[in-house]
Amino acid sequence: LPLPASRMEEGERSPLLPQDTTGQKPPLSVSSPPLPSHPDPAPREGQAGAWGCSCYPPVTKDGAWTGDPAPPLPAGSSCIKYLIFLSNFLFSLLGLLALAAGLWGLAVKGSLGSGWGRPLPADPMLGLVLGGLAVSAVSLAGCVGALCENSCLLRCFCGSILAFLVLQAMAAALAAALWGPLQDGLEHALRVAITHYQDDLDLGFLLDQVQLGLQCCGVVSYQDWQQNLYFNCSSPGVQACSLPASCCIDPREDGASINDQCGFGALGLDAAAAGRLVYLEGCGAPLRQWLRGQIPAVGTSVIVATGVQGAELLLATWLIRALAVRRWAASRPT
């Protein structure tokens, strides 16, 4: 009897079923995801792994994500990490504070409005701005590098600390070698400040602080103020033959505020009469003596600053070595 039409002969397969013959691949189903035409490139191990600059999660040699977090640092290295972070965070705050104070000083005096393309203003606040910018940038590099365990930032931090140490050593050597000429240049600096007393507010402020603190007037004597265009006795102005209030023995005259007219007419008096109103001795010799007395304090400050920078350098080097050891241990085949 013939088989029904719905029955298939032996050995026949339905065309709807996948063919599993040799040399043929079954067709993809509708629900299966498409295969990628180009495989993902494998990461270059010699670039990011050597410097520790990679911010990507760990991968295998085939380029697949492992999903495993980096192993934690030992307890001692973790303490060093957070010590570097906290110390540099404080230094970065101090640097930013100095930067803000310098910018505020430049803005108040109008030095920031000089326009682009012009030379930088010769202002003491500019040094405060540059110093605050350098300290804050280096401290932020150490702070972020320690917190994120980034060897690149830590290496930049170590290089900046070394540059600071070299600059400090050069400055100390120059100050020791040129100590004599520096002392001789004090009198010239004081005479320049007297000449430009009304023209440069910064020089005027510094000279007032020197005369008030050392209780002196002028460079060699109070008659050195004759070099000032406004205080000279031949000047037609109201300040002729006068002295600034910082030269007066009692500038406040038992009052709450300083009397700016306490030195009026003092240059026209003889030494005995002027000695009852103003200081007669100049500031050259007292200033040199004061600077000699500040050498121990300055030396102590330099030693402390160098010690802090050296400690930061050693701690950062230790952390870089700990990160390198961890990367080496993670890259070993298990």
Coordinates of all heavy atoms in Angstrom, one line a residue, residues 43-129:
P43 N 44.0 45.6 24.6 CA 44.8 46.7 25.1 C 46.3 46.5 25.0 O 46.8 45.4 25.1 CB 44.3 46.8 26.6 CG 43.9 45.4 26.9 CD 43.3 44.8 25.6
R44 N 47.0 47.6 24.9 CA 48.4 47.5 24.8 C 49.0 47.5 26.2 O 48.9 48.5 27.0 CB 49.0 48.7 24.1 CG 48.7 48.7 22.6 CD 49.2 49.9 21.9 NE 48.4 51.1 22.3 CZ 48.6 52.3 21.8 NH1 49.6 52.5 21.0 NH2 47.9 53.3 22.2
E45 N 49.6 46.4 26.6 CA 50.0 46.2 28.0 C 51.2 47.0 28.3 O 51.4 47.4 29.4 CB 50.3 44.7 28.2 CG 49.1 43.8 28.0 CD 49.5 42.4 28.2 OE1 50.7 42.1 28.4 OE2 48.6 41.5 28.1
G46 N 52.1 47.3 27.3 CA 53.3 48.1 27.6 C 53.1 49.5 27.8 O 54.0 50.3 28.1
Q47 N 51.9 50.0 27.5 CA 51.7 51.5 27.5 C 51.1 51.9 28.9 O 51.7 52.7 29.6 CB 50.8 51.9 26.4 CG 50.5 53.4 26.4 CD 49.7 53.8 25.2 OE1 49.2 53.0 24.5 NE2 49.4 55.1 25.0
A48 N 49.9 51.4 29.2 CA 49.2 51.9 30.4 C 49.7 51.1 31.6 O 49.8 51.6 32.7 CB 47.7 51.7 30.2
G49 N 50.0 49.8 31.4 CA 50.4 49.0 32.5 C 51.7 49.5 33.2 O 51.9 49.3 34.4
A50 N 52.6 50.0 32.3 CA 54.0 50.3 32.9 C 53.9 51.5 33.7 O 54.6 51.7 34.7 CB 54.9 50.5 31.7
W51 N 53.1 52.5 33.3 CA 53.0 53.8 34.0 C 51.8 53.8 35.0 O 51.8 54.7 35.8 CB 52.9 54.9 33.0 CG 54.1 55.1 32.3 CD1 54.5 54.5 31.1 CD2 55.2 56.0 32.6 NE1 55.8 54.9 30.7 CE2 56.2 55.8 31.6 CE3 55.4 56.9 33.6 CZ2 57.4 56.5 31.6 CZ3 56.6 57.6 33.7 CH2 57.6 57.4 32.7
G52 N 50.9 52.9 34.9 CA 49.8 53.0 35.8 C 48.8 54.1 35.6 O 48.2 54.6 36.5
C53 N 48.7 54.5 34.3 CA 47.8 55.6 33.9 C 46.4 55.2 33.5 O 45.6 56.0 33.1 CB 48.5 56.5 32.9 SG 50.1 57.1 33.3
S54 N 46.2 53.9 33.4 CA 44.9 53.5 32.9 C 43.8 53.6 33.9 O 44.0 53.3 35.1 CB 45.0 52.0 32.4 OG 43.8 51.5 32.0
C55 N 42.7 54.2 33.5 CA 41.5 54.3 34.3 C 40.5 53.3 34.0 O 39.3 53.4 34.5 CB 41.0 55.7 34.2 SG 42.1 57.0 34.8
Y56 N 40.8 52.3 33.2 CA 39.8 51.3 32.8 C 39.9 50.1 33.7 O 40.9 49.8 34.3 CB 40.1 50.9 31.3 CG 40.0 52.0 30.4 CD1 41.1 52.6 29.9 CD2 38.7 52.5 29.9 CE1 41.1 53.6 29.0 CE2 38.7 53.5 29.0 CZ 39.8 54.1 28.6 OH 39.7 55.1 27.7
P57 N 38.8 49.3 33.8 CA 38.8 48.1 34.6 C 39.8 47.1 34.0 O 40.1 47.2 32.8 CB 37.4 47.6 34.6 CG 36.8 48.3 33.4 CD 37.5 49.6 33.2
P58 N 40.2 46.1 34.8 CA 41.2 45.1 34.3 C 40.6 44.3 33.2 O 39.4 43.9 33.2 CB 41.5 44.3 35.6 CG 40.4 44.5 36.5 CD 39.9 45.9 36.2
V59 N 41.4 43.9 32.2 CA 41.0 43.1 31.1 C 41.9 41.9 31.0 O 43.0 41.8 31.5 CB 41.0 43.9 29.8 CG1 40.1 45.0 29.8 CG2 42.4 44.4 29.5
T60 N 41.4 40.8 30.3 CA 42.2 39.7 30.0 C 43.0 39.9 28.8 O 42.9 40.9 28.1 CB 41.3 38.4 29.9 OG1 40.5 38.6 28.8 CG2 40.5 38.2 31.2
K61 N 43.8 38.9 28.4 CA 44.6 39.0 27.2 C 43.7 39.0 25.9 O 44.1 39.5 24.9 CB 45.6 37.8 27.1 CG 46.7 37.9 28.2 CD 47.7 36.8 28.0 CE 48.8 36.9 29.1 NZ 49.8 35.8 28.9
D62 N 42.5 38.4 26.0 CA 41.6 38.4 24.9 C 40.8 39.7 24.7 O 40.0 39.8 23.9 CB 40.6 37.2 25.0 CG 41.4 35.9 25.0 OD1 42.5 35.9 24.4 OD2 40.9 34.9 25.6
G63 N 41.0 40.6 25.7 CA 40.3 41.9 25.6 C 39.0 41.9 26.3 O 38.2 42.8 26.1
A64 N 38.7 40.8 27.1 CA 37.4 40.8 27.7 C 37.5 41.4 29.1 O 38.5 41.3 29.8 CB 36.9 39.3 27.8
W65 N 36.4 42.0 29.6 CA 36.4 42.6 30.9 C 36.4 41.5 32.0 O 35.6 40.6 31.9 CB 35.2 43.6 31.1 CG 35.1 44.6 30.1 CD1 34.1 44.8 29.2 CD2 36.1 45.7 29.8 NE1 34.4 45.9 28.4 CE2 35.6 46.5 28.7 CE3 37.3 46.0 30.4 CZ2 36.3 47.5 28.2 CZ3 38.0 47.1 29.9 CH2 37.4 47.9 28.8
T66 N 37.2 41.6 33.0 CA 37.2 40.6 34.0 C 36.1 40.9 35.0 O 35.6 40.0 35.7 CB 38.6 40.6 34.7 OG1 38.8 41.8 35.3 CG2 39.7 40.2 33.7
G67 N 35.9 42.2 35.3 CA 34.8 42.6 36.2 C 35.3 42.5 37.7 O 34.6 42.9 38.6
D68 N 36.6 42.1 37.9 CA 37.1 42.1 39.2 C 37.8 43.4 39.6 O 38.6 43.9 38.8 CB 38.1 40.9 39.4 CG 37.5 39.6 39.1 OD1 36.3 39.5 39.4 OD2 38.2 38.7 38.6
P69 N 37.5 44.0 40.8 CA 38.2 45.2 41.2 C 39.7 44.9 41.5 O 40.1 43.8 41.7 CB 37.4 45.6 42.4 CG 36.9 44.3 43.0 CD 36.6 43.5 41.8
A70 N 40.5 46.0 41.5 CA 41.9 45.9 41.8 C 42.1 45.4 43.2 O 41.3 45.9 44.1 CB 42.6 47.2 41.5
P71 N 43.0 44.6 43.5 CA 43.2 44.2 44.9 C 43.6 45.3 45.7 O 44.3 46.3 45.3 CB 44.4 43.1 44.7 CG 45.1 43.5 43.5 CD 44.0 44.0 42.6
P72 N 43.2 45.3 47.0 CA 43.5 46.5 47.9 C 45.0 46.5 48.2 O 45.7 45.5 48.2 CB 42.7 46.2 49.1 CG 42.5 44.7 49.1 CD 42.4 44.3 47.7
L73 N 45.5 47.7 48.6 CA 46.8 47.9 49.0 C 47.0 47.3 50.4 O 46.0 47.2 51.2 CB 47.2 49.4 49.0 CG 47.3 50.0 47.6 CD1 47.5 51.5 47.8 CD2 48.5 49.4 46.8
P74 N 48.2 47.0 50.8 CA 48.5 46.6 52.2 C 48.1 47.7 53.2 O 48.0 48.9 52.8 CB 50.0 46.3 52.2 CG 50.3 45.9 50.8 CD 49.4 46.8 49.9
A75 N 48.0 47.4 54.4 CA 47.6 48.3 55.4 C 48.6 49.5 55.5 O 48.2 50.7 55.6 CB 47.5 47.7 56.8
G76 N 49.9 49.2 55.5 CA 50.9 50.3 55.6 C 50.8 51.2 54.4 O 50.9 52.5 54.5
S77 N 50.7 50.7 53.2 CA 50.6 51.5 52.0 C 49.3 52.3 51.9 O 49.3 53.4 51.4 CB 50.7 50.6 50.7 OG 51.9 49.9 50.7
S78 N 48.2 51.7 52.5 CA 46.9 52.5 52.5 C 47.1 53.7 53.5 O 46.6 54.8 53.2 CB 45.8 51.6 53.0 OG 45.6 50.5 52.1
C79 N 47.8 53.5 54.6 CA 48.0 54.6 55.5 C 48.8 55.7 54.8 O 48.5 56.9 55.0 CB 48.7 54.2 56.8 SG 47.7 53.1 57.8
I80 N 49.8 55.3 54.1 CA 50.7 56.3 53.3 C 49.8 57.0 52.3 O 50.0 58.2 52.1 CB 51.9 55.6 52.7 CG1 52.8 55.1 53.8 CG2 52.6 56.5 51.7 CD1 54.0 54.3 53.3
K81 N 49.0 56.3 51.6 CA 48.1 56.9 50.6 C 47.2 58.0 51.2 O 47.2 59.1 50.6 CB 47.2 55.8 50.0 CG 46.0 56.3 49.2 CD 45.2 55.1 48.8 CE 43.9 55.6 48.2 NZ 43.0 54.5 47.7
Y82 N 46.6 57.7 52.3 CA 45.7 58.7 52.9 C 46.4 59.8 53.6 O 46.0 61.0 53.7 CB 44.7 58.1 53.8 CG 43.7 57.2 53.1 CD1 43.7 55.9 53.2 CD2 42.7 57.8 52.4 CE1 42.8 55.1 52.5 CE2 41.7 57.1 51.7 CZ 41.8 55.7 51.8 OH 40.9 54.9 51.1
L83 N 47.7 59.6 54.0 CA 48.5 60.6 54.6 C 48.9 61.6 53.5 O 48.9 62.8 53.7 CB 49.7 60.0 55.3 CG 50.7 61.0 56.0 CD1 50.0 61.8 57.0 CD2 51.9 60.2 56.5
I84 N 49.3 61.1 52.3 CA 49.6 62.0 51.2 C 48.4 62.8 50.8 O 48.5 64.0 50.5 CB 50.2 61.1 50.1 CG1 51.5 60.4 50.4 CG2 50.4 62.0 48.8 CD1 52.0 59.5 49.4
F85 N 47.3 62.1 50.8 CA 46.0 62.8 50.3 C 45.7 64.0 51.3 O 45.5 65.1 50.9 CB 44.9 61.8 50.3 CG 43.5 62.5 50.2 CD1 43.1 63.1 49.0 CD2 42.7 62.5 51.3 CE1 41.9 63.7 48.9 CE2 41.4 63.1 51.2 CZ 41.1 63.7 50.0
L86 N 45.7 63.7 52.6 CA 45.4 64.8 53.6 C 46.4 65.9 53.6 O 46.0 67.1 53.6 CB 45.2 64.1 55.0 CG 44.0 63.2 55.2 CD1 44.1 62.6 56.6 CD2 42.7 63.9 55.0
S87 N 47.6 65.6 53.6 CA 48.6 66.6 53.7 C 48.6 67.5 52.4 O 48.6 68.8 52.5 CB 50.0 66.0 53.8 OG 50.3 65.2 52.7
N88 N 48.5 66.9 51.2 CA 48.4 67.7 50.0 C 47.1 68.4 49.9 O 47.0 69.5 49.2 CB 48.7 66.8 48.8 CG 50.1 66.5 48.6 OD1 50.9 67.2 48.1 ND2 50.5 65.3 49.1
F89 N 46.0 67.9 50.5 CA 44.8 68.6 50.5 C 44.9 69.9 51.3 O 44.4 71.0 50.8 CB 43.7 67.8 51.1 CG 42.3 68.4 51.1 CD1 41.6 68.6 49.9 CD2 41.8 68.9 52.3 CE1 40.3 69.2 50.0 CE2 40.6 69.5 52.3 CZ 39.8 69.7 51.2
L90 N 45.6 69.9 52.4 CA 45.8 71.1 53.2 C 46.7 72.1 52.5 O 46.4 73.3 52.4 CB 46.4 70.7 54.5 CG 45.5 69.9 55.5 CD1 46.3 69.6 56.8 CD2 44.2 70.7 55.8
F91 N 47.8 71.6 51.8 CA 48.7 72.5 51.1 C 48.0 73.1 49.9 O 48.2 74.2 49.5 CB 49.9 71.7 50.6 CG 50.9 71.4 51.8 CD1 51.4 70.1 51.9 CD2 51.2 72.4 52.7 CE1 52.3 69.8 52.9 CE2 52.1 72.1 53.7 CZ 52.6 70.8 53.8
S92 N 47.1 72.3 49.2 CA 46.3 72.9 48.1 C 45.4 74.0 48.6 O 45.2 75.0 47.9 CB 45.6 71.8 47.4 OG 44.6 71.2 48.2
L93 N 44.8 73.8 49.7 CA 43.9 74.9 50.3 C 44.7 76.2 50.6 O 44.3 77.3 50.3 CB 43.2 74.4 51.5 CG 42.1 73.4 51.3 CD1 41.5 73.0 52.7 CD2 41.0 73.9 50.4
L94 N 45.9 76.0 51.1 CA 46.8 77.1 51.4 C 47.2 77.8 50.1 O 47.3 79.1 50.0 CB 48.0 76.7 52.2 CG 47.7 76.2 53.7 CD1 49.0 75.8 54.3 CD2 47.1 77.3 54.5
G95 N 47.6 77.0 49.1 CA 47.9 77.6 47.8 C 46.8 78.3 47.2 O 47.0 79.4 46.6
L96 N 45.6 77.8 47.2 CA 44.5 78.5 46.6 C 44.1 79.7 47.4 O 43.7 80.7 46.8 CB 43.3 77.5 46.6 CG 43.3 76.3 45.6 CD1 42.1 75.4 45.8 CD2 43.4 76.8 44.2
L97 N 44.3 79.7 48.7 CA 44.1 80.9 49.5 C 45.1 82.0 49.1 O 44.7 83.2 49.0 CB 44.2 80.6 51.0 CG 44.0 81.7 52.0 CD1 42.5 82.3 51.8 CD2 44.2 81.3 53.4
A98 N 46.4 81.6 49.0 CA 47.4 82.6 48.5 C 47.1 83.1 47.1 O 47.2 84.3 46.8 CB 48.8 82.0 48.6
L99 N 46.6 82.3 46.2 CA 46.2 82.7 44.9 C 45.1 83.7 44.9 O 45.1 84.7 44.2 CB 45.9 81.4 44.1 CG 45.4 81.7 42.6 CD1 46.4 82.4 41.8 CD2 45.0 80.4 42.0
A100 N 44.1 83.4 45.7 CA 42.9 84.3 45.8 C 43.3 85.6 46.4 O 42.9 86.7 46.0 CB 41.8 83.6 46.7
A101 N 44.2 85.6 47.4 CA 44.6 86.9 48.0 C 45.4 87.7 47.1 O 45.2 88.9 47.0 CB 45.4 86.6 49.3
G102 N 46.3 87.0 46.3 CA 47.0 87.8 45.3 C 46.2 88.4 44.2 O 46.4 89.5 43.8
L103 N 45.2 87.6 43.7 CA 44.3 88.1 42.7 C 43.5 89.3 43.2 O 43.2 90.2 42.5 CB 43.4 87.0 42.2 CG 44.1 85.9 41.3 CD1 43.1 84.8 41.0 CD2 44.7 86.5 40.0
W104 N 43.0 89.1 44.5 CA 42.3 90.2 45.1 C 43.1 91.5 45.2 O 42.6 92.6 44.9 CB 41.8 89.8 46.5 CG 41.0 90.9 47.2 CD1 39.7 91.3 47.0 CD2 41.6 91.7 48.2 NE1 39.4 92.3 47.9 CE2 40.5 92.6 48.6 CE3 42.8 91.9 48.8 CZ2 40.7 93.6 49.6 CZ3 43.0 92.8 49.8 CH2 42.0 93.7 50.1
G105 N 44.4 91.3 45.6 CA 45.2 92.5 45.7 C 45.5 93.2 44.3 O 45.5 94.4 44.2
L106 N 45.7 92.3 43.3 CA 45.9 92.9 42.0 C 44.6 93.6 41.5 O 44.7 94.6 40.8 CB 46.3 91.8 41.0 CG 47.7 91.2 41.2 CD1 47.9 90.1 40.2 CD2 48.8 92.3 41.0
A107 N 43.4 93.0 41.8 CA 42.2 93.6 41.3 C 41.9 94.9 42.1 O 41.4 95.9 41.4 CB 41.0 92.6 41.6
V108 N 42.2 95.0 43.3 CA 42.0 96.2 44.1 C 42.9 97.4 43.6 O 42.4 98.5 43.4 CB 42.3 96.0 45.6 CG1 42.3 97.3 46.3 CG2 41.2 95.1 46.2
K109 N 44.1 97.0 43.2 CA 45.0 98.1 42.7 C 44.9 98.3 41.2 O 45.6 99.2 40.7 CB 46.5 97.7 43.1 CG 46.8 97.8 44.5 CD 48.2 97.5 44.9 CE 48.6 96.1 44.6 NZ 50.0 95.9 45.1
G110 N 44.0 97.6 40.6 CA 43.8 97.8 39.1 C 44.9 97.2 38.2 O 44.9 97.6 37.0
S111 N 45.7 96.3 38.8 CA 46.8 95.8 37.9 C 46.3 94.7 36.9 O 46.9 94.5 35.9 CB 47.9 95.1 38.8 OG 48.5 96.1 39.7
L112 N 45.1 94.2 37.2 CA 44.5 93.2 36.3 C 43.9 93.8 35.1 O 43.7 93.1 34.1 CB 43.5 92.3 37.0 CG 44.0 91.4 38.1 CD1 42.8 90.6 38.8 CD2 45.0 90.4 37.5
G113 N 43.7 95.1 35.1 CA 43.0 95.7 34.0 C 44.0 96.3 32.9 O 43.6 97.2 32.2
S114 N 45.2 95.8 33.0 CA 46.2 96.3 32.0 C 46.0 95.8 30.6 O 46.5 96.4 29.6 CB 47.6 95.9 32.5 OG 47.7 94.5 32.6
G115 N 45.2 94.8 30.4 CA 44.9 94.3 29.1 C 45.8 93.2 28.7 O 47.0 93.0 29.2
W116 N 45.4 92.4 27.7 CA 46.2 91.3 27.2 C 47.3 91.8 26.2 O 47.1 92.8 25.6 CB 45.3 90.3 26.4 CG 44.3 89.6 27.3 CD1 43.0 89.9 27.4 CD2 44.5 88.5 28.2 NE1 42.4 89.1 28.3 CE2 43.3 88.3 28.8 CE3 45.6 87.8 28.5 CZ2 43.1 87.2 29.7 CZ3 45.5 86.8 29.4 CH2 44.3 86.5 30.0
G117 N 48.4 91.1 26.2 CA 49.5 91.5 25.3 C 50.5 92.5 25.9 O 51.5 92.7 25.4
R118 N 50.1 93.0 27.1 CA 51.1 94.0 27.7 C 51.9 93.2 28.7 O 51.6 92.1 29.2 CB 50.3 95.1 28.5 CG 49.4 95.9 27.5 CD 48.7 97.0 28.3 NE 47.9 97.8 27.4 CZ 47.2 98.9 27.8 NH1 47.2 99.2 29.1 NH2 46.5 99.6 27.0
P119 N 53.1 93.7 29.1 CA 53.9 93.1 30.1 C 53.2 92.9 31.5 O 52.4 93.8 31.8 CB 55.2 93.9 30.2 CG 54.7 95.3 29.7 CD 53.7 95.0 28.6
L120 N 53.6 91.9 32.2 CA 53.0 91.7 33.5 C 53.4 92.9 34.5 O 54.5 93.4 34.4 CB 53.5 90.4 34.1 CG 53.0 89.1 33.4 CD1 53.7 87.9 34.0 CD2 51.5 89.0 33.4
P121 N 52.5 93.3 35.3 CA 52.8 94.4 36.3 C 53.8 94.0 37.3 O 53.9 92.9 37.8 CB 51.4 94.6 36.9 CG 50.7 93.3 36.8 CD 51.1 92.7 35.6
A122 N 54.7 94.9 37.6 CA 55.8 94.7 38.6 C 55.1 94.9 39.9 O 55.3 96.0 40.5 CB 57.0 95.6 38.3
D123 N 54.5 93.9 40.5 CA 53.7 94.1 41.7 C 54.1 92.9 42.6 O 54.2 91.8 42.2 CB 52.2 94.0 41.4 CG 51.4 94.6 42.5 OD1 51.5 94.0 43.6 OD2 50.7 95.6 42.3
P124 N 54.3 93.2 43.9 CA 54.5 92.1 44.8 C 53.4 91.0 44.9 O 53.7 89.9 45.1 CB 54.7 92.7 46.2 CG 55.1 94.1 45.8 CD 54.4 94.5 44.6
M125 N 52.2 91.5 44.6 CA 51.1 90.5 44.6 C 51.2 89.5 43.5 O 50.6 88.4 43.6 CB 49.7 91.3 44.5 CG 49.4 92.1 45.7 SD 49.0 91.0 47.1 CE 48.7 92.2 48.4
L126 N 51.9 89.9 42.4 CA 52.1 88.9 41.3 C 52.9 87.7 41.8 O 52.6 86.6 41.4 CB 52.8 89.6 40.1 CG 53.0 88.8 38.9 CD1 51.6 88.3 38.3 CD2 53.8 89.5 37.8
G127 N 53.9 87.9 42.6 CA 54.7 86.8 43.2 C 53.8 85.9 44.0 O 53.9 84.7 44.0
L128 N 52.9 86.5 44.8 CA 51.9 85.7 45.6 C 51.0 84.9 44.7 O 50.7 83.7 45.0 CB 51.1 86.7 46.5 CG 50.2 86.0 47.6 CD1 51.1 85.2 48.6 CD2 49.4 87.1 48.3
V129 N 50.6 85.5 43.6 CA 49.7 84.7 42.7 C 50.5 83.6 42.0 O 49.9 82.4 42.0 CB 49.2 85.7 41.6 CG1 48.5 84.9 40.4 CG2 48.2 86.7 42.1

